[in-house]
Amino acid sequence: MILFACTAAYADKKEKLNEDTNRFRYDIEYCKTATDGMVTVKVWSYSKRADLATQQCRKNAVHGIMFRGFSSADPNYSSMQPLVKDPSIESVKADFFQAFFDDATGEYARYAPSVIESSKKVIKVGKEFKAGVVVKVNVKLLRQHLEQ
């Protein structure tokens, strides 16, 4: 009976943490663009757990490029519009995007193949953590996937 209660409590806690990150609370900043279709961005994710906020940065980088875009302080690079022009698509095609952004099996990871480990920074903000990581996203392949 005690084992079941502990397992249920753990499952509830994990579900609440996943719910927290499924709201896609993050900030995204442009870093640089490469000629091979890769864009490097810094993503700041928010969560009640520092490790979870850091883990979600790759997912949030892909989500940001798909649905938010970003502006640039670099005069040589203007802002990037989101790849998905109609924001309602995220709710209309909810099954597709839920599977695409799934932590265990989601395809999003293919499009954000690398994180610059030395860039990780975690800041305590009130009762939660703000984690920043520099992520490389293959925008060219992501655009092709979305067009298909």
Side-chain angles (χ1 to χ4, degrees):
M1 184 70 151
I2 293 173
L3 178 60
F4 175 73
C6 290
T7 305
Y10 176 76
D12 287 345
K13 189 173 185 177
K14 182 150 178 68
E15 188 174 305
K16 285 180 184 176
L17 289 171
N18 284 337
E19 212 174 271
D20 193 29
T21 58
N22 284 339
R23 287 184 276 151
F24 291 106
R25 293 181 335 137
Y26 61 87
D27 300 315
I28 186 168
E29 305 168 4
Y30 169 78
C31 291
K32 71 177 185 175
T33 303
T35 57
D36 60 356
M38 299 291 278
V39 173
T40 305
V41 293
K42 179 140 193 178
V43 179
W44 294 92
S45 299
Y46 301 86
S47 182
K48 292 180 182 177
R49 286 185 30 201
D51 61 330
L52 189 62
T54 303
Q55 290 171 11
Q56 296 302 313
C57 284
R58 281 178 53 199
K59 180 190 295 188
N60 290 340
V62 173
H63 187 273
I65 286 175
M66 289 171 67
F67 294 104
R68 290 190 186 173
F70 51 81
S71 58
S72 172
D74 182 348
N76 297 322
Y77 189 83
S78 62
S79 62
M80 180 179 171
Q81 297 297 316
L83 295 179
V84 177
K85 302 297 182 207
D86 182 3
S88 68
I89 294 292
E90 190 172 11
S91 58
V92 171
K93 303 276 187 184
D95 291 342
F96 169 80
F97 289 112
Q98 187 173 11
F100 184 83
F101 287 111
D102 183 73
D103 285 330
T105 59
E107 280 190 69
Y108 77 91
R110 281 184 49 204
Y111 306 102
S114 63
V115 171
I116 299 172
E117 293 293 326
S118 62
S119 70
K120 288 183 183 178
K121 185 173 184 176
V122 178
I123 303 167
K124 178 89 168 145
V125 180
K127 292 184 176 183
E128 62 184 4
F129 293 92
K130 177 180 177 180
V133 176
V134 174
V135 181
K136 289 185 178 183
V137 179
N138 192 329
V139 176
K140 182 179 176 183
L141 285 180
L142 181 59
R143 179 179 285 119
Q144 289 172 354
H145 177 74
L146 291 173
E147 287 172 355
Q148 290 174 357

